[in-house]
Amino acid sequence: MSAGSRMRAPLQEALLPALMALAIAVLVGDLLILTFGQSPGAVYRLLLEGTWGNAYGFGQVLYKATTLTFTGLAFAAAARAGLFNVGAESQLATGGFAAALVALGLPNGTPGILAVPLCLVAAALAGGVVGAIPGWLRARFGASEVIVTIMMNFVVLAALNYVVASHLHVPETLHTPETTVGAMPRLSAMIPAFAGSAANTVLLVALAAAAALWWLLFRTRGGYELRAVGLQPDAAEYGGVRVGRVWIRAMALSGALAGLGGLNYVLGYKHYYEEGFATGSGFLGIAVALVGRNHPLGVVLAALLFATLSQGGLAVNALVPKQMVEVLQAVVILAMATSVPEVQRLLRASARRRSATGEAA
Amino acid sequence: MIVLVFLAQTLRIVIPYLLAAAGGVMSERVGVIALTLEGFMLTGAFTAAVGSYFAGSPWVGLACGLLGGLALSLLYALAAVRFRADQVVVGVALNLLATGVTRFFLRFAFDSSSNSPRVPGFGREHTGSAALGSLLDSLANPLVWIGLVTIPAVAWVLYRTPFGLRARAVGEKPEAATSLGVSVPRVKVLGVALSGMLAGLGGAYLALDQHQFTDGMTAGRGFIALAAVIFGRWDPKRVAAACLLFAAAETFQIQLQGAQLIPSQFVEMIPYVLTIVALAGVVGRATPPAALGRAE
Amino acid sequence: AEPPGSEGLDVGIVFDVGGRGDKSFNDGAYIGAERAAKDLGARIRFIEPGEGSDREAGLRLLAAEGMDLVIGVGFIFTDDLTQLAKEYPNVRFAGVDYAVATDSAGNPVLPPPNLEALKFREEQGSYLVGALAALVGKSKKVGFVGGMDIPLIHKFEAGYRAGVLHVCPDCQVIAQYAGVTPEAFRNPGRGKELALSQYQSGANVIFHASGSTGLGVFEAARATGKLAIGVDADQYSEAPGFILTSMVKGVDAAVYDAIAAVKNGTFRGGILQLGLKENGVGYIYDANNRALIPDAVRARLGTIRDSIVAGYIKVPTER
Amino acid sequence: MALSIRVSGVAKAFGPVQANGDASLEVEAGEIHALVGENGAGKSTLMRMLAGMFAPDAGTIEVAVDGALRDVTGWSTAEAIAAGVGMVHQHFMLVPPLTVAENVVLGRELTKGWALDRKRAVAEVCALSERTGLTVPAERPVSELSVGEAQRVEILKVLYRGAKILILDEPTAVLSPPEVRELWRVLRGLTAGGGTVVLITHKLDEVVEISDTITVMRAGRTVERIRTKDTTPRDIAKAMVGRDVNLALDHLAAPSERGAESVERGADDASALLGASAMESAPRSTLHAPRSGSGPAALVVRDLVVPSARRPNEVDGVSFDVSPGEIFGIAGVEGNGQTELIEAIAGLAQPASGRVALGGQDVGALGVRERADTGLSHVPEDRHRRGLVLDYTVGDNLILGLQHRFTRGASLDAPRIDDNARRQIAAFDIRPADAALPARALSGGNQQKIVVAREMTGRDYRVLLAAQPTRGVDVGAIEFIHAQLRRARDEGKAIVLVSADLAEILALSDRIAVMYRGRFATVLPRGEASAEILGPYMTGAASERVA
Ligand SMILES: Nc1ncnc2c1ncn2[C@@H]1O[C@H](COP(=O)(O)OP(=O)(O)OP(=O)(O)O)[C@@H](O)[C@H]1O
Ligand SMILES: Nc1ncnc2c1ncn2[C@@H]1O[C@H](COP(=O)(O)OP(=O)(O)OP(=O)(O)O)[C@@H](O)[C@H]1O
Ligand SMILES: [Mg+2]
Ligand SMILES: [Mg+2]
């Protein structure tokens, strides 16, 4: 087996399902567009123009991709340890809330060099704690982290709602007061072409987080053990790894990544915590991680894809209703989830056939 | 009197939970995670409203609700059983799909983003406000009866019929079932389809009782039903008890009439917190079917 | 499409989450805009953002295209409109339900000059329907069903409660909320149960401020043969015969007026308080419900209205 | 006589593993046919295809239906059952929460209307149980049964379906001798009634005792078909491994002579470490079979009781010492507690009671890694589940369990990992010699070499636990691994060797224990042991166990 073909197989395995899923989504999209009596070509052109076609639209894509990168990385980090974190939404909200709380609590005029790291740590810690609880329940009691994270979404969001609605909100709104402390600059401050878009320097934190997660997963002992636990818990245990502890750590890491995502809205964009800002980002993060094959680089690319879809939905709003984009996002996830194992099977079967005929020859 | 009021209200609230949770039991007992109950319910609610509206008969609506839930569940079965896709991911996607599709067609069919027109439903109107009246009103709704017999029916199917025996075997040890010539995929598809139909009926109850579909009208009831399945440890009797407990808590909160003894946020958490507590084994170990969530 | 900014009047409207077809204030804005299109020849573009944080993007898209007027429908757009009005001084903005901030001294912070805050005094309208509910209900108990348990909705409750107590000091107001998440605005099943329990405990009239959850309140009214009060738009058609009235906001008129002001060059910016005085809020009294509201009651409401307009009655905004 | 089964040229691959390649089998009606072969030879795979569990990649399978052979290649289990082919699987195919009766009727349920007829099911199971002498509690959940009872349920399941062709995959591995005799009686009754039996077993004495004909498989292929009366266990063994077994054993160096005086001293040292109570319970078997190494015991195990999912005492009070420079062999039929014993010593399983000391240090409270750092090395019996992370590269697998040694700061030290891989691949001739290949892509033998390389030269150790170190591995690799074990012994390591392969145990061990039902049935010095002597202990036929 040549080195080339060895590289090709995993690459095929990574790309083919994504392409298949996209093809299916485009097909379904065409059907939906046609039912509204529009031309698919025109809609797609508008979609691209409104996203990658101008600096503002692209800035918006970057902004949305930032949050999705965090929730995607969060899901991927847990998935690498063999766990499903379906609770990114509440972890994201908690992280954002903690950052806002710290920013509001710091005295006015606290320099960013001090405030930003504090908020960062607060967001990661808060998200991490919310994530670690299901990890601990799994390690200690064998409780399914899927169910616990889903249930915790309801519990945590209701608790945050209670705190904000009864103690912290600005009258007539659903958000906390605005903070001047800890604000992270917009990208437009450096690249004027982005003017107006919400893209901000938290994007750099997201990229750093992706790089850090990559390093952690693939270059450190902790990552070696985490992935071993995800692939073969029995082998990891044999290798001296305490599986339960890795579960807790992985879930805490996952929650921390999601929690950091809260910065994008709270510190980078609005400078306050607002009820419901996390809605939908958690579930989309699952899609992002899935399409990105739980690889940090893949997650970043997939986040861009989903951000494009969701910003593009706004751009094509004149032609088709927003409901179409919701349907399309679900179709992409569904097609992806279905085609990953299928493509894997097909590729392995064909590899076997090839090697069988190769031997015969 | 107050007891009667309490009973009548608990009854109305518990019906969709019972229907969806009964579906959840079927699905999880054949080894397929019932994350999708919410989506099945929402789809069932929508198709029930559409059916009742265009046919002018709530019975057609009921049938359509069942079929709507079935359609989505077959999609779930296709992905999770035929293609062996990951059940959690597919479940999440199907819930998103149900939200999107119902909104899309609500807009498409009725040009509204909030609700359908009024559709025929069950039950009498103008019954006055007497508690007895409202109880009678509920009892005139065939879906209430269907809901009430569902749990015993599911228990009967599960524990007394050949299909139930196979379902339990498939959920616990599919390879054993296979070795005896039982088609595991077929049993799984049937279980998932049943869960879709039952949850769809739960949605139909909501829509027909409300005489219309409104966007997102299930409002998390599918997840409460899933919570009941787990809290009830996958056993129909206990699951029914869990549904009743959750419904009674809701009734209690409603009957308190805004007397803010504890913030409503905390009352809303009850089913979810109880489920987590149950999973932590505080009230006896909650052991799911051994093969739950397994792709093969 | 011809480019905006040329001759003619270009108006962009961004809807709140519910979007078009909500049969409420989004549709009100739509109706006002359509009328402006017909009467004033305005070219209108509509945008419906999805859930989450997409609101600003929609507004900015329109502002960047150089529209003559950009309208955001819903309090949720407040901060975004303020921000954009500063960034685009040549574009005029209007915000339906714009939430005026107050500074630390409690004085309102004026919006930028190119932004018009269309504020409705829902508490005043609620006060009137509260009085109406007490007078018509006659049972010393009236009901209120709110959607999400948040300050915005507390304003309705506060005005309503004050109105009830004004005409019936020993009346009891049962106020309940459908939940603590945005789902609470979309849970008619819960709305119906809340309303049924209120009716059963003796309330004859219930006022709702709860989005589609209120449709469940109407359903309960039908089932028990009692009355409900709609909100935002005239909701009579949702349950004919059971809707005592609706507390309406003149969103359509406000939007139309804003567009007309731009066309006529009279657009001013600032805060436009649309209360009873300005006919920005009110209650429906027409052929449909005339039979439900005795003349004496109507006269009494007229008096109360005048007192509010004259400032004799101060309507609370917080409960 | 007429053929009942004819399999020709069957091939089957699982991913990269070629389980069967050109396998054939002919079984006559009314006979008991034994199918033998080493672990991994492809016996189970072949029989599972016969029973309809999956289809072969190539070849044909024919089964006699109504007296005539019919091509049934690729049929389903349901079709196989309908045609009277039933299989008792090597691993239990029972649904634990269901009752015995429910397990038996599953897939072939008796109904009354739409409902299950549970009464009749119980009655029929009881009747069948009576008729065959296979007694089972029909209404108890299977999860509460003993292994022997569960095995009987498995056979009842097949008989209940009226099987004419009965396939049994290692049915005796978990049975006691009386239970085995009982089984033979049932099988003979079946063939007397015209039924056909295919029996997979590793116990050649059983083969000789019960079978009429024997088919030998090796590496997925059928290598020989013999009449039982024309052969001996030795010939069968030779056919199985493909070379003369005795030759293989003869060239092994006999364990060196060692002074007996060191023995008692070693035991005393260990006992002192573990306290007086350990002293009192010092096993007689230790005295009976003196340690042959020198110096204090490197590994001391006292009264170890280890639970499993099945029972509370899978290991039921085992004590032994191993000296430096000694190979302590543990023979026995699989499933008699060897797995749990080794895992408990390694820290992977939690013992219910008892103690383990390594180099004089009680390690009971230590985790897996700490024990390894104290000087324990472990070649696990299941390389696919435990020993390797199959999706990791060869290089990464070569540091599994040592990952904390290959770090620089927080990160892994890639150059050192590469260097380690290069050296190990060369030293152990791992093929292909590519550290970046996933372990999954290697053949079984080469996968095992990764584990052995890592555990035997990758770290400093005093004690090596080698569990089934050559299972499913080809001859070349076996020789190599055996050489490594001997070299390690000569370097003064203490080695615990667990193997189901008696020849291997006899070839390598200085002292031999036979494990049966969680206890040591005997412990003998190599000089006193032979296959003939050890055999009866393995099956429980002989016992000298002292508590
Ligand atoms: N489902 C499977 N997936 C992958 N590999 C498999 C599977 N079943 C068997 N194998 C592999 O196929 C080969 C033959 O296995 P099989 O179980 O047929 O051997 P066997 O002769 O029954 O061995 P034993 O005596 O240990 O039972 C082994 O290498 C085994 O690991
Ligand atoms: N996924 C794969 N990709 C490439 N080559 C593979 C893959 N799987 C197995 N191989 C190669 O195919 C061959 C067949 O595997 P098999 O287990 O039969 O090996 P083998 O010849 O018995 O080797 P050994 O002597 O080590 O047992 C091996 O040489 C292995 O390296
Ligand atoms: Mg086998
Ligand atoms: Mg091999």
Side-chain angles (χ1 to χ4, degrees):
Chain A
M1 191 182 234
S2 76
S5 68
R6 224 191 309 134
M7 290 304 294
R8 207 155 49 233
L11 206 66
Q12 272 179 348
E13 247 183 67
L15 286 182
L16 273 183
L19 292 178
M20 251 169 79
L22 268 185
I24 293 172
V26 166
L27 204 77
V28 174
D30 286 355
L31 282 176
L32 294 181
I33 292 166
L34 289 173
T35 54
F36 267 82
Q38 299 288 348
S39 122
V43 172
Y44 292 133
R45 192 162 343 104
L46 209 57
L47 191 147
L48 280 182
E49 279 170 10
T51 52
W52 296 66
N54 65 71
Y56 166 72
F58 186 62
Q60 283 301 108
V61 169
L62 288 183
Y63 168 73
K64 294 183 175 198
T66 302
T67 303
L68 290 181
T69 298
F70 279 115
T71 53
L73 290 176
F75 187 83
R80 286 280 176 179
L83 300 174
F84 280 100
N85 178 9
V86 193
E89 184 156 325
S90 53
Q91 292 147 12
L92 181 70
T94 313
F97 180 73
L101 216 55
V102 168
L104 288 169
L106 288 172
N108 254 352
T110 308
I113 192 103
L114 196 73
V116 167
L118 278 176
C119 292
L120 226 98
V121 169
L125 263 181
V129 168
V130 174
I133 293 169
W136 178 74
L137 288 171
R138 167 80 192 254
R140 177 76 179 71
F141 301 107
S144 154
E145 80 285 356
V146 174
I147 304 296
V148 174
T149 48
I150 288 176
M151 300 295 151
M152 284 206 36
N153 275 343
F154 291 101
V155 174
V156 169
L157 292 176
L160 286 177
N161 171 277
Y162 170 74
V163 178
V164 173
S166 48
H167 299 297
L168 274 177
H169 67 95
V170 172
E172 297 201 28
T173 70
L174 286 178
H175 58 73
T176 64
E178 201 166 319
T179 164
T180 46
V181 175
M184 313 244 324
R186 298 262 178 117
L187 284 191
S188 48
M190 287 155 257
I191 307 164
F194 280 130
S197 77
N200 60 70
T201 39
V202 177
L203 171 67
L204 304 179
V205 181
L207 293 177
L213 182 64
W214 176 84
W215 178 77
L216 194 111
L217 282 178
F218 298 106
R219 285 293 176 268
T220 68
R221 172 184 151 204
Y224 177 95
E225 298 187 342
L226 185 148
R227 286 182 298 125
V229 166
L231 289 167
Q232 264 173 259
D234 286 331
E237 189 190 13
Y238 161 84
V241 181
R242 289 179 200 260
V243 173
R245 281 193 204 171
V246 170
W247 278 341
I248 298 173
R249 268 188 233 136
M251 282 302 288
L253 171 69
S254 175
L257 283 165
L260 282 174
L263 297 176
N264 193 34
Y265 187 87
V266 172
L267 289 193
Y269 180 25
K270 290 290 187 183
H271 307 168
Y272 51 64
Y273 169 85
E274 182 171 29
E275 183 68 34
F277 86 87
T279 304
S281 305
F283 284 155
L284 269 190
I286 300 178
V288 165
L290 189 72
V291 174
R293 305 304 306 278
N294 296 327
H295 190 287
L297 178 64
V299 165
V300 171
L301 295 177
L304 279 173
L305 169 72
F306 276 88
T308 304
L309 254 183
S310 108
Q311 174 68 15
L314 216 55
V316 303
N317 199 239
L319 300 183
V320 291
K322 61 174 181 177
Q323 286 85 355
M324 202 194 93
V325 178
E326 296 174 353
V327 174
L328 279 190
Q329 284 180 336
V331 169
V332 171
I333 308 176
L334 205 58
M336 187 73 194
T338 309
S339 55
V340 166
E342 192 64 12
V343 166
Q344 234 162 43
R345 262 192 297 279
L346 291 178
L347 281 178
R348 293 204 172 143
S350 86
R352 202 156 56 235
R353 263 198 309 281
R354 259 204 316 278
S355 74
T357 53
E359 271 163 36
Chain B
M1 191 64 164
I2 185 75
V3 176
L4 218 53
V5 169
F6 196 91
L7 268 182
Q9 189 154 47
T10 306
L11 178 69
R12 289 190 302 265
I13 293 175
V14 84
I15 294 300
Y17 293 163
L18 285 178
L19 284 163
V25 169
M26 275 322 306
S27 173
E28 299 231 320
R29 271 308 187 83
V30 296
V32 182
I33 302 176
L35 266 185
T36 43
L37 293 178
E38 179 80 6
F40 295 167
M41 282 182 97
L42 192 62
T43 314
F46 180 73
T47 51
V50 169
S52 183
Y53 179 78
F54 286 105
S57 149
W59 289 99
V60 175
L62 189 153
C64 287
L66 186 131
L67 290 178
L70 175 65
L72 199 65
S73 68
L74 288 181
L75 196 56
Y76 186 31
L78 181 74
V81 181
R82 161 66 185 83
F83 287 106
R84 285 175 270 185
D86 189 278
Q87 295 174 10
V88 174
V89 176
V90 172
V92 167
L94 281 179
N95 285 337
L96 288 179
L97 188 72
T99 313
V101 165
T102 53
R103 277 188 190 153
F104 186 84
F105 285 104
L106 184 64
R107 184 73 179 269
F108 191 71
F110 303 117
D111 195 29
S112 165
S113 64
S114 77
N115 60 289
S116 75
R118 187 173 170 80
V119 306
F122 296 109
R124 313 163 301 160
E125 292 196 5
H126 296 264
T127 49
S129 63
L132 193 62
S134 91
L135 190 59
L136 288 178
D137 195 31
S138 302
L139 297 183
N141 184 345
L143 270 166
V144 168
W145 292 103
I146 295 176
L148 287 177
V149 301
T150 299
I151 289 281
V154 162
W156 184 78
V157 167
L158 214 46
Y159 295 122
R160 302 284 152 143
T161 67
F163 170 73
L165 181 62
R166 293 172 185 206
R168 283 181 289 146
V170 164
E172 289 289 340
K173 190 145 183 180
E175 53 276 31
T178 304
S179 75
L180 294 179
V182 173
S183 163
V184 172
R186 188 181 306 160
V187 171
K188 285 192 167 186
V189 169
L190 258 169
V192 174
L194 275 174
S195 89
M197 291 191 276
L198 288 170
L201 281 181
Y205 173 86
L206 290 175
L208 296 177
D209 189 54
Q210 174 58 32
H211 291 269
Q212 70 191 157
F213 175 81
T214 75
D215 175 34
M217 75 187 300
T218 47
R221 285 180 179 80
F223 289 109
I224 294 197
L226 175 61
V229 171
I230 295 161
F231 192 61
R233 294 191 233 162
W234 296 270
D235 176 61
K237 271 197 312 289
R238 289 166 184 274
V239 169
C243 288
L244 258 172
L245 175 69
F246 294 167
E250 248 180 271
T251 307
F252 198 66
Q253 187 201 356
I254 288 170
Q255 293 292 338
L256 281 181
Q257 307 224 326
Q260 297 267 334
L261 301 181
I262 29 171
S264 52
Q265 284 92 342
F266 295 100
V267 180
E268 299 238 323
M269 289 179 194
I270 289 174
Y272 310 113
V273 171
L274 282 183
T275 303
I276 294 173
V277 167
L279 280 172
V282 176
V283 289
R285 189 91 193 213
T287 316
L292 184 62
R294 243 161 64 187
E296 239 101 339
Chain C
E2 64 186 285
S6 50
E7 82 278 20
L9 183 59
D10 287 288
V11 178
I13 294 185
V14 182
F15 291 115
D16 198 355
V17 171
R20 264 206 51 211
D22 73 339
K23 307 181 179 176
S24 182
F25 62 99
N26 281 312
D27 277 357
Y30 180 74
I31 291 165
E34 287 288 284
R35 193 144 52 84
K38 209 162 81 219
D39 299 356
L40 310 173
R43 279 191 303 269
I44 321 269
R45 262 196 67 190
F46 300 102
I47 286 190
E48 301 175 274
E51 263 166 274
S53 53
D54 255 348
R55 328 179 285 257
E56 188 198 323
L59 290 174
R60 187 177 291 275
L61 223 60
L62 297 171
E65 286 179 18
M67 294 275 170
D68 298 296
L69 173 65
V70 175
I71 304 177
V73 184
F75 84 95
I76 203 99
F77 291 105
T78 300
D79 297 332
D80 307 305
L81 283 168
T82 314
Q83 176 68 25
L84 285 172
K86 288 178 189 154
E87 277 181 51
Y88 293 88
N90 298 325
V91 176
R92 273 148 296 189
F93 294 87
V96 175
D97 280 348
Y98 184 93
V100 178
T102 47
D103 60 23
S104 45
N107 301 314
V109 181
L110 282 187
N114 58 332
L115 168 60
E116 192 171 71
L118 306 174
K119 274 196 72 65
F120 295 91
R121 313 194 99 149
E122 291 96 349
E123 72 278 7
Q124 292 188 350
S126 302
Y127 193 94
L128 275 190
V129 296
L132 176 63
L135 292 172
V136 171
K138 295 198 180 84
S139 63
K140 300 276 176 206
K141 273 191 185 171
V142 291
F144 174 82
V145 170
M148 191 174 169
D149 197 348
I150 46 172
L152 191 75
I153 307 299
H154 297 164
K155 192 160 95 175
F156 289 81
E157 186 198 329
Y160 181 72
R161 189 181 287 277
V164 170
L165 297 180
H166 178 76
V167 299
C168 172
D170 58 342
C171 270
Q172 187 197 346
V173 179
I174 310 170
Q176 288 178 280
Y177 288 82
V180 296
T181 58
E183 305 275 84
F185 288 116
R186 298 202 300 239
N187 194 344
R190 173 65 65 84
K192 183 174 176 182
E193 291 306 332
L194 287 169
L196 280 175
S197 91
Q198 295 185 0
Y199 285 134
Q200 265 152 6
S201 64
N204 288 327
V205 182
I206 297 175
F207 174 42
H208 92 88
S210 61
S212 338
T213 298
L215 297 171
V217 175
F218 299 162
E219 205 45 47
R222 274 179 197 269
T224 56
K226 300 204 174 183
L227 295 171
I229 299 174
V231 76
D232 289 349
D234 183 2
Q235 294 191 294
Y236 182 82
S237 62
E238 298 291 345
F242 302 96
I243 307 294
L244 174 58
T245 185
S246 297
M247 197 286 279
V248 291
K249 307 202 310 196
V251 177
D252 50 345
V255 166
Y256 182 88
D257 289 348
I259 297 173
V262 171
K263 175 151 176 119
N264 304 334
T266 55
F267 185 92
R268 290 259 128 42
I271 302 171
L272 216 57
Q273 288 282 9
L274 302 168
L276 287 172
K277 187 169 159 195
E278 299 81 9
N279 280 328
V281 295
Y283 71 96
I284 298 284
Y285 180 78
D286 62 11
N288 288 330
N289 64 349
R290 198 157 289 156
L292 295 171
I293 304 177
D295 286 341
V297 170
R298 175 145 167 83
R300 179 89 195 267
L301 291 185
T303 319
I304 296 173
R305 179 189 176 278
D306 294 341
S307 304
I308 295 174
V309 169
Y312 298 136
I313 297 178
K314 291 258 179 283
V315 180
T317 55
E318 282 174 55
R319 48 176 192 179
Chain D
M1 261 192 98
L3 281 184
S4 182
I5 302 166
R6 182 160 68 199
V7 173
S8 29
V10 158
K12 177 72 192 177
F14 295 105
V17 181
Q18 191 73 36
N20 283 154
D22 193 24
S24 8
L25 176 70
E26 291 190 349
V27 180
E28 286 169 13
E31 72 169 345
I32 295 180
H33 191 102
L35 187 59
V36 299
E38 288 184 301
N39 288 122
K43 307 178 293 291
S44 301
T45 304
L46 187 63
M47 287 302 103
R48 284 157 76 195
M49 286 187 283
L50 179 58
M53 298 284 284
F54 39 74
D57 298 338
T60 56
I61 299 174
E62 292 160 287
V63 167
V65 183
D66 303 326
L69 278 183
R70 187 159 66 84
D71 187 346
V72 298
T73 313
W75 63 356
S76 68
T77 39
E79 289 168 311
I81 291 166
V85 176
M87 176 159 177
V88 173
H89 294 270
Q90 183 172 0
H91 306 286
F92 285 142
M93 288 289 190
L94 297 170
V95 188
L98 300 190
T99 65
V100 168
E102 285 175 327
N103 265 288
V104 171
V105 302
L106 178 62
R108 215 164 180 276
E109 299 84 358
L110 302 163
T111 53
K112 198 167 60 186
W114 284 12
L116 279 174
D117 192 342
R118 296 202 289 190
K119 266 210 205 83
R120 201 149 65 88
V122 170
E124 291 208 356
V125 169
C126 287
L128 184 65
S129 157
E130 199 136 310
R131 204 160 63 242
T132 54
L134 294 159
T135 45
V136 290
E139 294 183 88
R140 285 255 300 281
V142 160
S143 55
E144 295 172 8
L145 301 189
S146 72
V147 188
E149 285 173 315
Q151 181 69 274
R152 276 178 248 152
V153 177
E154 287 281 23
I155 297 170
L156 277 182
K157 259 166 59 179
V158 177
L159 297 182
Y160 176 78
R161 284 164 177 72
K164 286 274 158 290
I165 298 175
L166 182 60
I167 305 161
L168 297 144
D169 195 349
E170 299 193 32
T172 58
V174 290
L175 297 185
S176 66
E179 288 171 324
V180 172
R181 280 193 297 279
E182 192 58 41
L183 177 64
W184 292 168
R185 204 184 48 72
V186 172
L187 295 186
R188 290 216 177 87
L190 202 74
T191 48
T196 307
V197 172
V198 181
L199 177 74
I200 299 178
T201 177
H202 287 284
K203 299 172 191 164
L204 300 185
D205 50 337
E206 288 179 354
V207 171
V208 173
E209 182 187 346
I210 187 76
S211 73
D212 301 306
T213 322
I214 302 163
T215 292
V216 182
M217 290 189 70
R218 188 166 70 226
R221 288 175 167 71
T222 307
V223 291
E224 204 158 4
R225 185 170 188 280
I226 335 168
R227 292 253 156 232
T228 306
K229 58 181 186 325
D230 303 336
T231 190
T232 63
R234 171 169 298 235
D235 291 336
I236 305 171
K238 184 176 164 186
M240 274 167 57
V241 299
R243 61 198 144 92
D244 200 312
V245 180
N246 264 354
L247 264 182
L249 297 183
D250 290 346
H251 83 271
L252 299 170
S256 49
E257 294 298 320
R258 289 184 172 104
E261 71 277 17
S262 65
V263 173
E264 298 298 325
R265 198 187 67 223
D268 289 350
D269 292 347
S271 302
L273 276 166
L274 289 170
S277 65
M279 181 68 171
E280 282 155 29
S281 63
R284 211 187 70 176
S285 52
T286 313
L287 306 176
H288 177 79
R291 276 189 289 124
S292 49
S294 55
L299 174 69
V300 178
V301 174
R302 280 291 173 280
D303 301 325
L304 204 61
V305 176
V306 189
S308 73
R310 280 175 298 176
R311 45 185 110 115
N313 55 342
E314 193 71 52
V315 174
D316 192 13
V318 164
S319 302
F320 63 92
D321 305 334
V322 187
S323 303
E326 179 186 38
I327 296 181
F328 182 69
I330 301 178
V333 177
E334 275 179 58
N336 276 295
Q338 298 96 317
T339 307
E340 289 74 13
L341 173 63
I342 293 297
E343 300 229 315
I345 297 173
L348 286 160
Q350 195 59 43
S353 62
R355 303 180 194 193
V356 177
L358 266 172
Q361 183 189 348
D362 189 332
V363 296
L366 301 186
V368 176
R369 172 167 307 155
E370 290 77 18
R371 290 188 197 203
D373 288 345
T374 313
L376 184 67
S377 202
H378 176 198
V379 175
E381 64 171 23
D382 187 342
R383 58 178 169 265
H384 282 148
R385 190 170 70 88
R386 284 269 195 218
L388 296 166
V389 179
L390 289 168
D391 288 310
Y392 273 9
T393 62
V394 171
D396 281 347
N397 269 298
L398 281 166
I399 63 160
L400 181 64
L402 304 164
Q403 60 270 24
H404 54 303
R405 304 264 178 81
F406 284 84
T407 53
R408 203 180 44 202
S411 63
L412 287 170
D413 190 343
R416 260 176 62 220
I417 294 173
D418 288 344
D419 185 56
N420 173 61
R422 217 172 304 116
R423 275 187 297 107
Q424 298 274 38
I425 288 172
F428 282 75
D429 188 27
I430 295 168
R431 286 185 239 180
D434 181 353
L437 217 54
R440 191 183 286 288
L442 268 61
S443 72
N446 284 299
Q447 287 174 345
Q448 187 69 352
K449 282 187 190 169
I450 299 175
V451 179
V452 170
R454 180 182 68 211
E455 296 305 315
M456 296 190 65
T457 63
R459 64 162 102 229
D460 254 349
Y461 64 94
R462 271 181 289 203
V463 175
L464 171 68
L465 306 173
Q468 319 285 4
T470 60
R471 177 196 289 180
V473 159
D474 69 30
V475 180
I478 289 174
E479 309 268 37
F480 183 81
I481 291 166
H482 283 182
Q484 291 295 326
L485 286 171
R486 261 181 260 109
R487 186 182 53 73
R489 189 257 320 272
D490 295 342
E491 285 170 5
K493 312 290 190 194
I495 299 173
V496 178
L497 169 69
V498 174
S499 178
D501 180 352
L502 200 47
E504 179 167 83
I505 293 281
L506 288 167
L508 295 173
S509 311
D510 299 304
R511 234 169 1 127
I512 299 169
V514 178
M515 205 163 173
Y516 181 74
R517 299 203 149 186
R519 305 187 183 195
F520 283 167
T522 186
V523 182
L524 298 170
R526 167 69 186 91
E528 294 173 21
S530 70
E532 289 69 30
I533 293 171
L534 295 178
Y537 289 103
M538 293 174 71
T539 57
S543 172
E544 55 165 289
R545 207 198 65 244
V546 180

